[in-house]
Amino acid sequence: MLRNQLPQVNNRAMAKLEQLMFDNTYARLPDTFYERIAPTPFERPHLVHFNPEGAALIELDVDEAKRPEFVEYWCGKRCLPGSDPIAMLYAGHQFGIYVPQLGDGRAILLGEVRTSRGEKWDLHLKGAGLTRFSRDGDGRAVLRSTIREYLCGEALHGLGIPTTRSLCIIGSDEPVIRETVETGAMLVRLAPSHVRFGTFEVFYYRRQYEHLRLLADYVITHHFPHLARDPDRYVCLLYEVAERTGRLIAKWQAVGWAHGVMNTDNMSILGLTLDYGPFGFMDAFQPSFIPNHSDHHGRYAFQNQPDIGYWNIRAIAQALSPLMNPAEAHQAPEVYETAFSSHYAELMQAKLGLREVHEGDERLRRDLLAILHSNKVDYTLFFRALADFRQDDPQANEPLRAMFSDKSAFDWWAERYRARLKAERSVDTERKIGMHQCNPKYVLRTYLAHQAIQRARVQDYSELDRLLQLLRHPFDEQPEMDAYAAPPPEWAQHLVVSCSS
Ligand code: AMP
Ligand code: MG
């Protein structure tokens, strides 16, 4: 059937499952880059959740989710026509130590779909069973971690942060052993590419420089086509990766989010948030926030993320160094640092509602973070409420002041903030509109995800549904959803997230 005979939604052709147009570019690379392997299906799969926005990305007709075959295709029971399933090879630095072979130990790249817009999307099935790279693992993912990844990908996207996306979750009754016995699930993850820093590292450390070049050429052709004819294309690629990574981490810092496991195998070459594990949004502001219960030394604590980003850029620069002059590779961390710092400053300036840049702004910001920390003020709630700050009505600022146990600390800062706003003739009503567009009211707090998981365990997906709807529009008031903006209730104060998934 021709493209233009397919059903149209918003002038776009929407495909049936069997009509997805595969173009499996990665599977055409030499077979040392992957293992060709089919998923191991669940015996009794069921649909946990379907994301119409994910379907729109790959131009899949949303009604396809109602067909019984839908679940079978996305749990490996049936093979999508045109797909060519592979597990990708990669390595990586885990907690600072080089591990020579990792690879997709429980995820399978079913294939790559081309859309009429010319985009290409990896269909990646996480939890799909054993591969050559499974090491001691069981090849499975549990419902809990799958829901967390599904929700957070959509939540970060809603916040304007580059990330992998998802199409659906398939559940099962297959027992999977973690700290306790849980059930297996599969997540269909979508991204333009799943190439990681570690995909380059594996060829660098094996001294397979021809493969390294091939991979770099592949990434440039498909994802950085504007560099294809550049004589310095490998250097430019490295610097663009550094730039994107710097901007990405700036965005994480500005919303108060920690990835949890920033190993180089979890760093996307496209600068996307990738591989959601024990991540977390901070509630009360705490620079040493460690979302991963197993990260005893806090290597991946919130405040360390910018430095770890720098460390990781050094690792990718090292891996790409055979393709360039070493001095050029050495400059990549600086490119990262500049991109991070300038974007972070820009984002925080916007969060504070400041249009201009004045001397002393950085001090003002640092002092604010210091008092948020010492007063254990909720990060998200504070910035949202700051939009209501009134320059000439101290009474109106009482709710903000009430967030601080040390009122004098707030008064001290608020007076300086007031003077700073006056210095750029800020208009309260105008500033509020802008601040609401960059300070979310709703984020995926750990306890909210936890509640959705508890319900999903008894096959009630209503909370999952509600959260997904809510987090698509994190900057909107959504007054009927006010309760979801609240900091964690007493019972959830000490919820911990382990890295088992
Ligand atoms: P992660 O910590 O999820 O980023 O995974 C690190 C490495 O361990 C990757 O190579 C994964 O594919 C692999 N891995 C994680 N969990 C499992 C599992 N349950 N079975 C097999 N491999 C796994
Ligand atoms: Mg990973």
Side-chain angles (χ1 to χ4, degrees):
M1 187 189 258
L2 291 173
R3 242 12 211 161
N4 58 14
Q5 292 176 294
L6 295 173
Q8 301 268 318
V9 177
N10 299 333
N11 294 328
R12 237 188 278 141
M14 291 293 157
K16 300 268 171 226
L17 286 159
E18 295 80 3
Q19 293 168 330
L20 289 171
M21 290 208 285
F22 281 93
D23 178 10
N24 305 316
T25 61
Y26 208 81
R28 293 198 292 270
L29 288 168
D31 58 12
T32 35
F33 283 61
Y34 50 78
E35 177 196 18
R36 204 161 244 117
I37 182 154
T40 309
F42 289 139
E43 270 184 34
R44 281 169 298 278
H46 63 270
L47 181 63
V48 169
H49 214 265
F50 164 72
N51 178 15
E53 288 208 1
L57 293 175
I58 58 169
E59 298 178 345
L60 176 70
D61 187 342
V62 291
D63 286 336
E64 289 293 280
K66 297 179 191 146
R67 289 174 56 194
E69 296 89 344
F70 184 85
V71 166
E72 300 185 344
Y73 279 124
W74 303 119
C75 83
K77 269 200 161 181
R78 275 175 191 253
C79 183
L80 283 159
S83 68
D84 186 0
I86 56 171
M88 292 165 77
L89 166 74
Y90 53 84
H93 280 87
Q94 297 196 309
F95 289 86
I97 294 161
Y98 185 66
V99 182
Q101 188 179 294
L102 293 163
D104 288 331
R106 57 165 165 176
I108 287 177
L109 175 59
L110 296 175
E112 301 159 51
V113 164
R114 277 246 180 247
T115 69
S116 64
R117 299 183 297 270
E119 294 171 358
K120 189 177 73 61
W121 288 92
D122 281 5
L123 305 181
H124 208 245
L125 192 60
K126 192 165 176 177
L130 295 173
T131 74
R132 187 202 291 165
F133 311 116
S134 299
R135 298 177 296 154
D136 299 330
D138 55 11
R140 291 304 193 200
V142 295
L143 181 65
R144 163 179 54 88
S145 65
T146 308
I147 290 177
R148 280 171 49 84
E149 174 150 9
Y150 185 78
L151 282 174
C152 202
E154 294 308 289
L156 290 203
H157 176 72
L159 291 166
I161 302 179
T163 174
T164 57
R165 307 287 302 278
S166 296
L167 176 68
C168 62
I169 299 178
I170 307 297
S172 77
D173 56 5
E174 189 176 299
V176 175
I177 299 165
R178 296 294 180 260
E179 283 91 344
T180 59
V181 181
E182 303 187 43
T183 56
M186 293 190 204
L187 175 76
V188 180
R189 186 163 70 181
L190 307 173
S193 170
H194 281 77
V195 171
R196 302 142 191 272
F197 288 11
T199 322
F200 287 91
E201 288 180 290
V202 73
F203 296 126
Y204 169 76
Y205 285 98
R206 288 182 181 180
R207 297 175 192 270
Q208 294 176 328
Y209 298 151
E210 279 317 304
H211 283 352
L212 185 72
R213 185 180 300 273
L214 198 58
L215 181 62
D217 285 336
Y218 169 86
V219 167
I220 289 170
T221 303
H222 294 288
H223 305 288
F224 298 82
H226 54 286
L227 302 180
R229 290 172 182 280
D230 196 316
D232 292 326
R233 59 188 171 280
Y234 303 123
V235 182
C236 294
L237 170 67
L238 174 60
Y239 292 177
E240 269 205 40
V241 171
E243 168 107 27
R244 287 189 190 198
T245 307
R247 291 178 66 84
L248 175 70
I249 296 174
K251 289 185 165 73
W252 292 353
Q253 299 308 109
V255 295
W257 187 81
H259 179 284
V261 194
M262 289 172 66
N263 292 334
T264 57
D265 51 298
N266 292 338
M267 299 295 293
S268 149
I269 203 70
L270 301 183
L272 306 172
T273 309
L274 171 69
D275 271 9
Y276 292 84
F279 64 81
F281 277 93
M282 276 189 289
D283 297 302
F285 184 70
Q286 189 194 351
S288 63
F289 169 60
I290 305 167
N292 179 3
H293 186 56
S294 327
D295 181 6
H296 303 296
H297 299 289
R299 178 180 171 89
Y300 298 131
F302 173 76
Q303 67 188 353
N304 293 349
Q305 296 191 120
D307 286 349
I308 292 291
Y310 186 93
W311 197 98
N312 288 344
I313 291 298
R314 275 181 33 191
I316 183 71
Q318 180 77 35
L320 285 169
S321 61
L323 306 182
M324 64 193 71
N325 176 329
E328 293 171 322
H330 278 136
Q331 277 171 33
E334 212 176 297
V335 173
Y336 162 85
E337 161 63 26
T338 307
F340 170 79
S341 303
S342 60
H343 195 44
Y344 180 68
E346 195 174 86
L347 292 169
M348 294 309 286
Q349 205 75 358
K351 282 179 83 70
L352 287 165
L354 301 175
R355 288 189 319 269
E356 299 171 2
V357 178
H358 290 197
E359 211 183 311
D361 284 355
E362 191 182 340
R363 189 78 252 165
L364 185 72
R365 182 213 312 156
R366 281 178 191 274
D367 289 344
L368 170 62
L369 294 180
I371 61 167
L372 291 181
H373 179 210
S374 56
N375 287 266
K376 300 190 172 67
V377 179
D378 189 275
Y379 185 75
T380 306
L381 288 180
F382 174 81
F383 277 101
R384 185 72 181 185
L386 188 63
D388 291 316
F389 187 87
R390 294 286 165 271
Q391 295 169 75
D392 300 307
D393 180 3
Q395 202 53 41
N397 300 333
E398 273 309 314
L400 267 174
R401 194 168 187 263
M403 292 181 171
F404 292 76
S405 44
D406 176 0
K407 310 293 177 206
S408 65
F410 173 76
D411 294 341
W412 166 74
W413 186 82
E415 193 41 48
R416 288 161 60 204
Y417 182 54
R418 177 176 176 275
R420 176 60 186 80
L421 293 175
K422 296 264 177 208
E424 67 172 42
R425 298 175 205 283
S426 189
V427 178
D428 288 344
T429 47
E430 284 173 11
R431 191 180 64 254
K432 175 172 175 164
I433 295 168
M435 287 175 78
H436 272 192
Q437 286 163 3
C438 63
N439 290 305
K441 176 168 174 182
Y442 302 102
V443 293
L444 182 64
R445 295 176 188 269
T446 301
Y447 83 91
L448 295 176
H450 178 82
Q451 285 173 331
I453 292 164
Q454 295 300 80
R455 296 267 192 97
R457 283 184 166 144
V458 290
Q459 306 217 351
D460 168 3
Y461 307 122
S462 57
E463 194 61 18
L464 180 52
D465 219 38
R466 206 169 296 124
L467 275 183
L468 207 63
Q469 297 304 331
L470 174 79
L471 297 169
R472 286 206 195 295
H473 307 287
F475 302 107
D476 293 358
E477 273 299 318
Q478 309 188 53
E480 69 290 358
M481 300 298 283
D482 264 351
Y484 288 79
E490 191 62 44
W491 65 262
Q493 298 278 333
H494 305 290
L495 274 182
V496 291
V497 184
S498 79
C499 67
S500 80
S501 58

